[in-house]
């Protein structure tokens, strides 16, 4: 990849073996050096300096709080436990930090360090999952946190449920020196991006790419090549970036999802990556679409590509 993709560089050791030991997790919660990253309504506590910095609390900051969800162990860094904690509707000032505020993750991600953005992606997704799984989907009884937050267990039927990640394919559909981009309904005139969609049950990545491109634009895709991926914590997707070679070029729009889909040249894309225009504006660097298009604009799709017979 030519550029760094946000949310991809989480430095924490997830401590998968250690977190199964409830006593070990409880001990980490009590250690003075353990660190806590607070979220309110899935926004993260941070401070604006030259760059945006995460504000890590120590356990003492939690003592004054009356209402928060069980901390979730994110992992270890240099042997120090790092937790995420949902402090519900508390204001940043109530945590005793001047100049700190709860920042919306998508907005602040570009100004975070790569490591911090990676940690925030994990934390936001896992806290969202806990918030949505407080009751058992099978019997409706309350569930509680297990294994430092890597699962929940039902108090009624004892079923254990695990966090899930939703795979999404996102692809630069290309043919010769052009790529096919779509504009969603409600988006302004020049705002085009890669086609994308959730992987369906019982479907491979390649099948999902071909199905989505056919459904949304009526274009036949033959060869699909994986290129790069990105965790996307809104709430919990894995974006699977591909190059998809088009066998046909006539566009038949699915008017439900896309307002328009059209072919753009490599030069069009290069210009749009440098400066947006009324003709073409592509997503910014927070999104993997930007990086897929950037790499395609310099020919990355051809590396190892063999034309279909
Ligand atoms: Zn149950």
């Amino acid at each position: 990849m030519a550029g760094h993709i946000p949310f991809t560089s989480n430095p924490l050791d997830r401590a998968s073996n250690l977190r199964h030991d409830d006593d070990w997790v409880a001990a980490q919660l009590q250690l003075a050096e353990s660190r806590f990253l607070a979220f309110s309504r899935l926004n993260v506590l941070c401070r604006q300096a030259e760059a945006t910095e995460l504000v890590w609390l120590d356990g003492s900051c939690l003592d004054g709080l009356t209402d928060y969800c069980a901390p979730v162990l994110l992992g270890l860094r240099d042997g120090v436990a790092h937790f995420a904690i949902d402090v519900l509707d508390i204001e940043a000032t109530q945590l005793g930090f001047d100049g700190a505020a709860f920042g919306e993750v998508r907005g602040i991600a570009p100004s975070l360090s790569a490591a911090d953005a990676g940690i925030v992606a994990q934390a936001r997704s896992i806290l969202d999952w806990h918030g949505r799984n407080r009751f058992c989907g099978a019997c409706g009884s309350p569930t509680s946190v297990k294994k430092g937050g890597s699962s929940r267990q039902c108090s009624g039927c004892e079923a254990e449920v695990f966090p899930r990640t939703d795979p999404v394919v996102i692809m630069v559909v290309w043919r010769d020196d052009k790529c096919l981009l779509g504009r969603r309904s409600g988006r302004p005139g020049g705002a085009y991006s890669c086609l994308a969609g959730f992987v369906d049950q019982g479907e491979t990545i390649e099948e999902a790419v071909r199905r989505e491109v056919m459904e949304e634009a009526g274009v036949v895709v033959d060869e699909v090549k994986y290129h790069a991926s990105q965790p996307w914590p809104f709430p919990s997707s894995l974006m699977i970036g591909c190059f998809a070679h088009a066998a046909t070029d006539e566009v038949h729009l699915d008017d439900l999802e896309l307002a328009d889909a059209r072919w753009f040249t490599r030069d069009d894309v290069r210009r749009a990556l440098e400066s947006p225009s009324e003709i073409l504006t592509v997503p910014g660097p927070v999104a993997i679409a930007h990086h897929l298009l950037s790499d395609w604009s310099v020919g990355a799709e051809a590396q190892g590509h063999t034309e279909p017979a």
Side-chain angles (χ1 to χ4, degrees):
M1 297 293 297
H4 176 79
I5 306 178
F7 304 128
T8 59
S9 301
N10 186 344
L12 298 179
D13 167 1
R14 298 183 189 228
S16 301
N17 296 328
L18 291 168
R19 68 167 65 234
H20 287 234
D21 180 347
D22 290 340
D23 292 339
W24 180 83
V25 174
Q28 301 306 306
L29 285 167
Q30 299 302 321
L31 289 178
E33 64 261 34
S34 292
R35 308 175 85 198
F36 296 80
L37 188 60
F39 284 74
S40 173
R41 300 174 191 170
L42 300 176
N43 296 325
V44 64
L45 189 64
C46 60
R47 182 181 284 122
Q48 301 291 334
E50 274 185 30
T52 304
E53 298 170 351
L54 300 182
V55 175
W56 290 92
L57 313 177
D58 61 32
S60 67
C61 293
L62 306 179
D63 294 343
L65 302 181
T66 53
D67 199 14
Y68 58 84
C69 297
V72 172
L73 177 67
L74 300 174
L76 299 172
R77 193 175 194 185
D78 300 326
V80 175
H82 288 56
F83 291 88
I85 183 165
D86 184 350
V87 295
L88 306 175
D89 291 335
I90 288 169
E91 299 296 331
T93 49
Q94 291 175 262
L95 293 166
F97 286 93
D98 288 335
F102 287 103
E104 192 276 314
V105 169
R106 188 168 172 160
I108 64 165
S111 60
L112 288 172
S113 72
D116 282 355
I119 292 170
V120 168
Q122 179 194 4
R124 189 185 192 283
S125 287
I126 190 73
L127 290 181
D128 177 84
W129 179 81
H130 280 282
R132 293 172 192 267
N133 286 273
R134 293 178 295 124
F135 297 93
C136 177
C139 77
S141 301
T143 62
S144 60
V145 171
K146 291 288 171 188
K147 297 172 184 169
S150 60
S151 71
R152 296 184 74 94
Q153 190 156 34
C154 175
S155 58
C157 70
E158 298 191 349
E160 190 175 7
V161 290
F162 299 89
R164 52 172 295 166
T165 298
D166 298 319
V168 175
V169 288
I170 179 164
M171 45 275 176
V172 176
V173 181
W174 68 279
R175 183 173 168 86
D176 300 325
D177 210 36
K178 291 185 174 177
C179 73
L180 178 68
L181 301 178
R183 178 166 63 81
R184 303 227 159 246
S185 304
R187 299 282 291 159
Y192 287 80
S193 185
C194 300
L195 304 189
F198 285 102
V199 178
D200 213 339
Q201 288 76 35
E203 191 173 49
T204 67
I205 291 169
E206 292 83 354
E207 288 167 344
V209 169
R210 294 188 185 107
R211 175 182 54 76
E212 283 288 341
V213 176
M214 175 52 70
E215 285 177 1
E216 294 192 359
V219 168
V220 176
V221 162
D222 45 33
E223 190 190 62
V224 176
K225 235 175 78 175
Y226 167 78
H227 186 59
S229 64
Q230 179 192 37
W232 188 246
F234 310 99
S236 192
S237 293
L238 175 66
M239 309 300 291
I240 303 168
C242 296
F243 294 123
H245 182 261
T248 63
D249 56 11
E250 198 170 323
V251 175
H252 298 282
L253 268 191
D254 163 17
D255 55 6
L256 294 176
E257 293 215 35
L258 294 180
D260 189 27
R262 66 176 65 174
W263 295 92
F264 293 91
T265 67
R266 238 179 268 265
D267 280 343
D268 292 334
V269 171
R270 280 192 207 108
R271 276 195 290 270
L273 287 164
E274 283 170 16
S275 60
S277 73
E278 287 180 7
I279 297 165
L280 179 59
T281 298
V282 296
V286 72
I288 192 174
H290 181 96
H291 302 273
L292 290 172
L293 286 168
S294 176
D295 287 1
W296 177 78
S297 76
V298 294
E301 83 290 351
Q303 290 164 13
H305 174 72
T306 48
E307 287 292 328

